[in-house]
Amino acid sequence: MEIAETIIEVRYAETDQMGVVYHNNYLVWMEIGRTRLIEQLGFRYFDMEEAGYLSPVLDVHIHYGKPLRYGQKAVVKTWIKGYDGLRVTYGYEICYEETKEVAITGETEHVCVTKEDFRPVSLRRTFPNWHEAYLKALE
């Protein structure tokens, strides 16, 4: 299984009044990790958009464990958890860089759609190179 790792330095602006990372920022970090994984597989999401397609989020699940704080570093681990040629589910684990302790786990589900009408398309047919890379990354 292919796993991308991205280091995030927790910025002050990402914390709330309690001094911990505001929960919505984890979604941003997950997107950063997903983009890194796609690049690691040899592609760019930008190119998909330029070709007239998007990959919107259909579903999000996050389990919040131990909170991260300003000044700490996190590692976002991202992998393909499931893929059926149409839908792809990315898995995430965000850990403390120093201790490797898990802060959050999560997943997002996506589908490829046309930009003009959001009609779903088969990744297998529309982007066969992505399809093959996703299948290989699942192994």
Side-chain angles (χ1 to χ4, degrees), residues 85-105:
L86 183 64
R87 296 172 195 254
V88 59
T89 302
Y90 298 93
Y92 308 90
E93 188 176 86
I94 300 179
C95 305
Y96 290 82
E97 183 190 40
E98 285 186 21
T99 65
K100 310 299 185 222
E101 187 177 6
V102 176
I104 75 128
T105 58

Side-chain angles (χ1 to χ4, degrees), residues 12-72:
Y12 185 77
E14 294 170 318
T15 62
D16 61 17
Q17 191 173 9
M18 295 178 288
V20 300
V21 173
Y22 181 68
H23 69 277
N24 194 47
N25 286 305
Y26 291 112
L27 289 169
V28 174
W29 296 358
M30 290 161 71
E31 181 181 340
I32 291 168
R34 188 170 59 251
T35 300
R36 173 71 50 87
L37 176 63
I38 290 168
E39 289 171 352
Q40 192 170 298
L41 294 174
F43 307 101
R44 294 185 326 155
Y45 183 68
F46 175 82
D47 294 333
M48 179 185 279
E49 286 192 355
E50 284 291 300
Y53 299 92
L54 303 169
S55 184
V57 176
L58 298 176
D59 200 9
V60 175
H61 294 275
I62 299 177
H63 173 74
Y64 298 98
K66 188 174 178 184
L68 285 152
R69 298 179 182 280
Y70 170 65
Q72 294 178 315

